[in-house]
Amino acid sequence: MSQSAIDSATQEKLDALIKQEEGDSNNYKGIFAIFLTLMAVGMSLFHLYAAYSIVPTQVLRTVHVSFMLFLVFLSFPMLARYKNQVKWWDVICALLAIYIAYYAIAGGDDFGDRNTAPDRMDVVWGSILILLILEAVRRTSGAILVSVTILFLLYALFGDLLPAPWTHKGYSVDRLVGFMYMTLEGIYGTAVDVSATLIILFTIFGAFLQFTGAGKFFIDFSFAAMGGKSSGVGRTIVLSSFLLGGPSGSGVATTVTVGSVAAPMLDKVGYEKNAAGGLLAAGGLGAIISPPVLGAAAFLIADFLKISYLDVLLMSIIPTILFYLGLFTMVEIDVRKYGMKAMHFEAVESAWSLSKKYWFHFFSLISIVLFMLMGFTPVMAVLWATIISALTSMLRRDTAIIPYEWFMGKQPILKGLYESNLTKALASGSTGVLAIAATCAGAGLIVGTVVLTGLGLKFSSIVIQYAGGSLLLTAIFTAFIVWIVGLAVPVTASYIICAVIAAPALINLGVPAFAAHMFIFYYAVLSEVSPPTALSPFAAAAICKGNPYKTTLQSWKYVAPAILVPFMFVLDKSGVSLLLMGSTTALAEANWMEIVWSTLTAIVGIVALAGGLQGWFIEKTNIVERTLMIVSGVALAYTSPTADMIGFAGFGLVLILQFFKYFKAKPKAST
């Protein structure tokens, strides 16, 4: 069933796009490749040990950054022409990263205590660390994020030269380096804390699922469960994107994995190339907002707000359902719009047969949430979920993380273990986190600057001033700022930057902190489908042989109904019911009628918007019906009784007109 239908030229394009998201790493052979693999395995084992045992915060974060820098400098070339070559400067940078970590840890409490008056060697090693981080970010994420980070550092050093309201007292190099390197508020701040505890563990968990065959099972199961009718292909993409994206949290990887199987089927049932690519990219985008993993930014939300990760999962439930409802509605309309041929795709096995064989993959997926509900911390929950994933994989020979042959003595002990899926999963867990960990270390410099200079409060007061104190305008400005930042930098960095500079504006106007941060998170995620960093649509366009920019516009059409959802939970107090009140405690005392009503208006609003944007509902819509549906959808997104009345009335009118058209056309069709 899940056979890839991609030619070698397309595969090269896709590899290039994935490398653009994850960094273009070297592909070594021989002894050095084995050494790097073992170092990556060592990094994963250290973090798994740190999850179970007690490792001091300063030590964990310092070692995490050191491991990341060591592997980045040996895995990612300085320039493309040095690819697959070990250069002396890479080795020096890697060794410097280890020594700088040793210097900080060996300094003990005295090291942190002198952060306001660092000695000469503190400043030297701290400055070198900052330069190493900037170079690691450049190698993994490109020059734009580095440029943004450098601008923030320059603002910290020379902000006293700027006019009000941007000015601050200015900081010397010694003070800046001391704050960034010697405290837990700069480089080793929130972002690195989350990277060192949650993000890497979830990446290891995702790697374990991948190497035990869970990804293939989720795609096969989706096709078996949803196959049959022409609309089944679209539904399959939505379901498999959700199942695959849940554990991976990567938009591009999900788009490529699902697209490589589904693209030929989309073509056969009659999807236009760019629309097919747009649907694949929109499905991939859902990966970043889907429980139980969400994107890396979701862990940061929990840390910034000092709430449990389970509360973040709780908040994401209704918005995720609304996102996929919008996609499902679009897919159902597509069947009518494109006059899709009724085709039957034969599944190799039934969904029931697959479930009987591989049921444990579902258990691995939900075990994280079950452990958290049982009172485990997110770190312990993902640790045990990873262990369960490894143990249950041994139930079948074809999914075993360590081959049965190894246990039977048919493979050499060390060679067999090195070539097993266990080693591959552990190595992949660390190499898969390098780009995000580098981004988090770079973002630490940005957050450190904002904390040191008070830029967040200055920025929020300027935004509120321009918006004239209007919450609607402030929300629109904030969404625009997040979107602009997201055009230049990855989702994680975009969220971190905007959480510290843009969130205070919404909070100052009375929006609950959790709603403000979720608002920023969802708009940061939308940067995944916005040029020039629209990697998911570009990958989908390569698979479907479409135009990258037309595919990007199509993906915007598919995700557009969900774009208004974040406004619903900031513009009115009742809107937070869509986030299930932000915590399990508040939910216990919530007004459930309000939650049901808010969800209902959101559902109808999304369906109305989907029909309006598609230009089709039950039948083709004319310009009046289309305008009415879009206006109704927007009105229902604004939580107020008047807006709800306008929205329901407009949508009801279009429904009546559409049914008239449908029954009018039916006799003609039958004759």
Side-chain angles (χ1 to χ4, degrees):
M1 162 53 68
S2 55
Q3 291 301 307
S4 176
I6 292 181
D7 56 55
S8 56
T10 306
Q11 191 59 53
E12 278 179 30
K13 263 194 211 173
L14 294 174
D15 289 343
L17 285 163
I18 291 172
K19 283 169 184 169
Q20 207 175 319
E21 182 180 58
E22 298 175 359
D24 187 4
S25 61
N26 292 314
N27 187 19
Y28 296 120
K29 300 280 187 288
I31 297 291
F32 196 69
I34 294 171
F35 168 72
L36 275 186
T37 300
L38 293 176
M39 286 302 295
V41 169
M43 180 176 178
S44 288
L45 290 174
F46 168 75
H47 284 88
L48 288 169
Y49 166 77
Y52 186 76
S53 187
I54 295 171
V55 175
T57 305
Q58 178 78 37
V59 174
L60 176 60
R61 297 183 196 180
T62 307
V63 171
H64 177 72
V65 172
S66 174
F67 250 131
M68 176 273 292
L69 290 172
F70 182 85
L71 286 171
V72 164
F73 284 115
L74 295 180
S75 304
F76 295 83
M78 186 171 84
L79 297 167
R81 66 172 179 267
Y82 299 131
K83 192 162 163 53
N84 300 333
Q85 301 172 46
V86 187
K87 293 293 181 185
W88 60 267
W89 52 77
D90 294 328
V91 175
I92 286 175
C93 288
L95 293 174
L96 276 172
I98 291 175
Y99 180 75
I100 289 167
Y102 164 76
Y103 179 84
I105 293 167
D109 291 341
D110 291 344
F111 176 76
D113 292 344
R114 60 177 186 266
N115 74 81
T116 50
D119 61 34
R120 179 161 300 201
M121 291 317 294
D122 294 338
V123 175
V124 169
W125 294 123
S127 301
I128 292 171
L129 177 64
I130 290 170
L131 293 173
L132 289 177
I133 288 169
L134 291 173
E135 173 59 8
V137 171
R138 188 193 67 79
R139 291 190 186 197
T140 54
S141 300
I144 297 176
L145 182 53
V146 173
S147 306
V148 171
T149 311
I150 289 170
L151 282 174
F152 272 89
L153 292 172
L154 290 173
Y155 175 72
L157 292 170
F158 305 110
D160 55 325
L161 304 177
L162 293 174
W166 300 103
T167 189
H168 62 80
K169 68 177 186 178
Y171 293 92
S172 66
V173 173
D174 287 17
R175 179 75 180 94
L176 181 65
V177 171
F179 185 79
M180 294 298 181
Y181 175 43
M182 303 169 75
T183 72
L184 293 179
E185 292 184 78
I187 293 164
Y188 303 120
T190 296
V192 161
D193 174 38
V194 172
S195 175
T197 51
L198 286 166
I199 297 175
I200 188 166
L201 292 174
F202 274 89
T203 312
I204 294 167
F205 172 65
F208 269 70
L209 286 182
Q210 180 195 337
F211 283 99
T212 55
K216 181 182 181 302
F217 163 69
F218 289 144
I219 290 184
D220 287 350
F221 175 82
S222 301
F223 275 83
M226 293 286 184
K229 295 197 301 184
S230 49
S231 61
V233 180
R235 289 185 198 144
T236 299
I237 285 163
V238 178
L239 178 62
S240 54
S241 296
F242 172 70
L243 288 173
L244 266 181
S248 87
S250 165
V252 181
T254 304
T255 301
V256 171
T257 310
V258 176
S260 60
V261 181
M265 298 183 182
L266 287 168
D267 184 46
K268 278 179 189 167
V269 297
Y271 265 90
E272 189 265 326
K273 286 176 182 175
N274 298 313
L279 175 58
L280 283 170
L285 181 76
I288 311 175
I289 61 167
S290 301
V293 177
L294 288 88
F299 306 120
L300 291 159
I301 294 171
D303 214 77
F304 271 122
L305 296 175
K306 300 290 177 263
I307 59 175
S308 93
Y309 181 64
L310 196 59
D311 286 341
V312 179
L313 283 186
L314 184 80
M315 289 192 279
S316 72
I317 290 172
I318 292 177
T320 302
I321 291 168
L322 294 174
F323 177 84
Y324 282 104
L325 172 79
L327 269 189
F328 266 114
T329 309
M330 288 290 205
V331 164
E332 294 301 323
I333 293 171
D334 278 341
V335 177
R336 294 177 175 79
K337 185 177 178 181
Y338 294 112
M340 289 180 182
K341 302 180 277 291
M343 296 189 75
H344 189 80
F345 296 101
E346 202 60 53
V348 176
E349 283 188 75
S350 69
W352 174 242
S353 168
L354 283 166
S355 299
K356 277 196 295 185
K357 283 184 186 174
Y358 302 107
W359 59 270
F360 50 86
H361 288 314
F362 282 127
F363 183 65
S364 301
L365 199 58
I366 60 168
S367 60
I368 296 178
V369 180
L370 290 176
F371 280 127
M372 283 196 273
L373 288 171
M374 286 162 62
F376 285 64
T377 64
V379 169
M380 289 304 290
V382 73
L383 172 67
W384 285 110
T386 306
I387 292 167
I388 281 175
S389 167
L391 293 175
T392 54
S393 77
M394 299 303 297
L395 292 171
R396 289 184 60 86
R397 184 182 289 270
D398 58 337
T399 61
I401 199 153
I402 300 173
Y404 283 12
E405 289 73 17
W406 187 81
F407 288 102
M408 294 156 70
K410 293 180 182 176
Q411 291 182 351
I413 292 176
L414 291 177
K415 187 170 184 284
L417 198 58
Y418 177 78
E419 291 174 355
S420 72
N421 282 334
L422 176 65
T423 302
K424 288 174 189 169
L426 286 168
S428 178
S430 284
T431 54
V433 86
L434 293 179
I436 295 176
T439 299
C440 286
L445 295 168
I446 293 170
V447 175
T449 300
V450 172
V451 171
L452 201 58
T453 61
L455 177 63
L457 295 172
K458 291 187 182 79
F459 191 83
S460 69
S461 63
I462 291 163
V463 169
I464 293 168
Q465 195 179 323
Y466 274 113
S470 158
L471 180 55
L472 176 61
L473 281 178
T474 303
I476 291 169
F477 288 165
T478 305
F480 190 66
I481 290 160
V482 179
W483 181 65
I484 293 290
V485 171
L487 296 181
V489 299
V491 172
T492 310
S494 174
Y495 167 73
I496 293 169
I497 294 167
C498 297
V500 291
I501 67 167
L506 290 169
I507 294 165
N508 287 346
L509 287 177
V511 175
F514 65 86
H517 279 261
M518 290 300 277
F519 180 88
I520 284 166
F521 170 59
Y522 283 111
Y523 278 100
V525 166
L526 287 171
S527 65
E528 275 280 307
V529 289
S530 307
T533 53
L535 300 181
S536 295
F538 283 20
I543 295 169
C544 299
K545 306 284 189 284
N547 176 298
Y549 291 97
K550 285 181 182 172
T551 300
T552 303
L553 284 174
Q554 287 289 333
S555 65
W556 265 91
K557 179 190 79 176
Y558 281 106
V559 302
I563 287 173
L564 284 179
V565 172
F567 277 95
M568 296 181 77
F569 45 73
V570 298
L571 292 182
D572 190 86
K573 282 193 170 69
S574 63
V576 296
S577 53
L578 287 177
L579 297 174
L580 294 175
M581 314 315 288
S583 72
T584 44
T585 318
L587 185 61
E589 298 162 13
N591 179 344
W592 278 93
M593 285 309 295
E594 194 174 82
I595 292 172
V596 170
W597 179 252
S598 295
T599 308
L600 179 68
T601 56
I603 288 169
V604 177
I606 280 174
V607 171
L609 263 179
L613 292 165
Q614 284 274 45
W616 205 286
F617 198 55
I618 300 165
E619 293 288 323
K620 193 176 190 328
T621 53
N622 58 36
I623 189 71
V624 175
E625 291 168 333
R626 200 170 179 179
T627 307
L628 263 175
M629 287 185 95
I630 291 172
V631 169
S632 300
V634 173
L636 287 163
Y638 192 89
T639 39
S640 83
T642 313
D644 288 348
M645 274 171 56
I646 293 167
F648 279 116
F651 182 61
L653 180 59
V654 173
L655 268 183
I656 293 165
L657 293 171
Q658 283 278 294
F659 274 117
F660 268 123
K661 269 190 194 174
Y662 174 72
F663 289 118
K664 205 173 176 183
K666 212 174 178 187
K668 286 181 189 172
S670 57
T671 56

